[in-house]
Amino acid sequence: MRPSAVTHTTDVEQRSIELGLEKTAGAVTVTVPGDPTLVPPGWYMLFVTDADGTPSVAKWVRVRPAPEPSPPPPPPSTESPDGWLGPAGAGSG
């Protein structure tokens, strides 16, 4: 649940999203959907419900934006290692 943004008794920021869940000994890992329109970056209150549907006390968690993809590498250089491009007119003809 996102922090409140109430306008005219409507909270347009409230969301209920089922998360991927993985339990291990002593830890629980949740996975948010990759679509940022479903879970925009920001702070959320995370609740866990038991088998009867009773919610836990919330924990604040922060969803960060996905990392930007790395830029492509530059094209290979046509220069020689010493910077020499060859004799004038080389390669034309």
Side-chain angles (χ1 to χ4, degrees), residues 35-85:
D35 182 350
T37 61
L38 294 175
V39 184
W43 287 96
Y44 290 82
M45 292 173 24
L46 177 66
F47 296 90
V48 178
T49 55
D50 65 15
D52 296 325
T54 305
S56 66
V57 173
K59 295 288 183 184
W60 283 100
V61 296
R62 185 174 182 187
V63 174
R64 297 185 185 273
E68 294 291 326
S70 299
S77 174
T78 57
E79 291 184 21
S80 66
D82 62 4
W84 187 64
L85 296 174

Side-chain angles (χ1 to χ4, degrees), residues 1-2 11-17 36-40 44-45:
M1 180 180 299
R2 288 187 69 154
D11 184 353
V12 296
E13 291 295 322
Q14 189 168 347
R15 299 155 194 265
S16 178
I17 299 166
T37 61
L38 294 175
V39 184
Y44 290 82
M45 292 173 24

